[in-house]
Amino acid sequence: MNRVKSPLEAAASLTELWSPRVIAELDDSYVKVAKLKGTLAWHSHDDEDELFMVLKGSLRIEFESGHVKLQEGDLHVIPKGVRHNPVADEECLVMLVERKSTLHTGKVRTSKTRDISEQLLEFEVSNQQSSEGRK
Amino acid sequence: MNRVKSPLEAAASLTELWSPRVIAELDDSYVKVAKLKGTLAWHSHDDEDELFMVLKGSLRIEFESGHVKLQEGDLHVIPKGVRHNPVADEECLVMLVERKSTLHTGKVRTSKTRDISEQLLEFEVSNQQSSEGRK
């Protein structure tokens, strides 16, 4: 845990869409990265806020009352209880910060839903600029 | 709160060094930005982990047992209880995620120490690309 220095490189290394992976632990929260394309599912998290930050590309987060469009570098916190649906028209890399108790798609389960045990799996980060190389 | 879309633009707008400002709330944590140059102070947070992400420039975080060098886009979580001292040889913009209870410089107080009331002050974000303009 907490081995990854570059969330962007970690996210770029992912091979599966909509499959968040934990890269760091922050008290009772996890920092995750994900590669997105297409749409996830309408859902909400009753008890947890959720932070999205776009590392590459752009992301639209739909709400019942509208949407927010995030460009590279933008950040948005979805308040607990707010139904939302992330949509990536093109492939997009994101970082997430959310409490450990947060379920991927809330109470909804789809074929894309990933349990926390899957999100905690190790994965290979192919960083062309290693931490050593960049010192 | 949670008005800022671009942490980078928010950080760039800051006029005072080493004076973190809250840009979003995430459950019992705050997301902050800061502009750094020079050194802060050796300190630790007994009960809170602390996330640093470099938005622009580079940052060295010194530990008693060594240091970590973060380049643009890099992230590092400082575990609770670990003494550290951030050093920016050149001006650097960072994003922080830390629990609301986190004291700026732990139990140490210096002229640079900013209370949470100061960190919560509103500030003007001069974003050339407004959220409207970028839709």
Side-chain angles (χ1 to χ4, degrees):
Chain A
M1 200 71 73
N2 299 348
R3 298 169 306 112
V4 167
K5 286 176 79 172
S6 167
L8 176 62
E9 288 173 358
S13 295
L14 296 173
T15 53
E16 194 186 26
L17 296 173
W18 299 105
S19 181
R21 293 300 183 94
V22 173
I23 60 163
E25 195 173 2
L26 181 72
D27 289 322
D28 68 341
S29 295
Y30 283 131
V31 182
K32 305 176 182 180
V33 291
K35 183 179 279 185
L36 314 181
K37 187 175 181 183
T39 183
L40 183 58
W42 279 97
H43 67 283
S44 63
H45 309 285
D46 290 348
D47 299 317
E48 300 101 351
D49 297 336
E50 187 175 22
L51 181 152
F52 279 80
M53 184 171 181
V54 173
L55 303 174
K56 190 171 183 183
S58 65
L59 179 69
R60 187 170 76 254
I61 306 178
E62 298 178 337
F63 304 103
E64 285 173 336
S65 58
H67 72 274
V68 61
K69 175 90 177 177
L70 303 181
Q71 307 290 354
E72 198 168 302
D74 284 349
L75 171 151
H76 191 77
V77 175
I78 299 169
K80 52 180 73 60
V82 172
R83 288 191 78 228
H84 60 281
N85 184 29
V87 181
D89 292 328
E90 304 294 334
E91 189 175 282
C92 159
L93 303 176
V94 297
M95 182 173 86
L96 308 165
V97 183
E98 51 191 24
R99 295 233 308 283
K100 292 178 180 174
S101 54
T102 306
L103 299 177
H104 187 200
T105 49
K107 290 174 182 165
V108 176
R109 282 197 71 87
T110 78
S111 60
K112 288 179 180 151
T113 303
R114 293 289 172 266
D115 292 329
I116 194 63
S117 60
E118 297 172 277
Q119 298 180 37
L120 281 163
L121 290 173
E122 295 273 332
F123 63 105
E124 199 64 37
V125 177
S126 58
N127 50 347
Q128 296 179 312
Q129 298 175 292
S130 73
S131 56
E132 286 69 35
R134 287 191 292 168
K135 268 179 191 161
Chain B
M1 200 73 72
N2 299 348
R3 297 169 306 112
V4 167
K5 286 177 78 172
S6 167
L8 176 62
E9 288 172 359
S13 295
L14 297 173
T15 53
E16 193 186 27
L17 297 172
W18 298 106
S19 181
R21 294 299 182 96
V22 173
I23 60 164
E25 194 173 4
L26 181 72
D27 290 322
D28 68 341
S29 295
Y30 283 132
V31 182
K32 305 176 183 180
V33 291
K35 183 179 280 186
L36 315 181
K37 186 174 181 183
T39 183
L40 183 58
W42 279 98
H43 68 283
S44 62
H45 309 285
D46 290 347
D47 299 317
E48 301 100 350
D49 297 338
E50 187 174 22
L51 182 152
F52 279 81
M53 185 169 179
V54 173
L55 303 173
K56 190 170 183 185
S58 65
L59 178 70
R60 187 170 77 254
I61 306 177
E62 298 178 338
F63 304 103
E64 286 174 336
S65 57
H67 73 274
V68 61
K69 176 90 177 176
L70 303 181
Q71 306 290 353
E72 198 168 301
D74 285 349
L75 172 151
H76 190 77
V77 175
I78 298 168
K80 53 179 71 60
V82 172
R83 288 190 78 230
H84 60 282
N85 184 28
V87 181
D89 292 328
E90 303 295 334
E91 190 175 281
C92 159
L93 303 176
V94 297
M95 182 173 85
L96 309 164
V97 184
E98 51 192 24
R99 296 231 310 282
K100 292 177 182 176
S101 54
T102 306
L103 299 178
H104 186 200
T105 49
K107 290 174 183 165
V108 176
R109 283 197 70 88
T110 79
S111 60
K112 289 179 179 151
T113 302
R114 293 290 172 267
D115 291 330
I116 194 64
S117 59
E118 295 172 279
Q119 298 180 37
L120 281 163
L121 290 173
E122 295 273 332
F123 63 106
E124 199 63 37
V125 176
S126 59
N127 49 346
Q128 298 179 310
Q129 298 176 292
S130 73
S131 56
E132 286 69 35
R134 287 191 292 167
K135 266 179 192 159

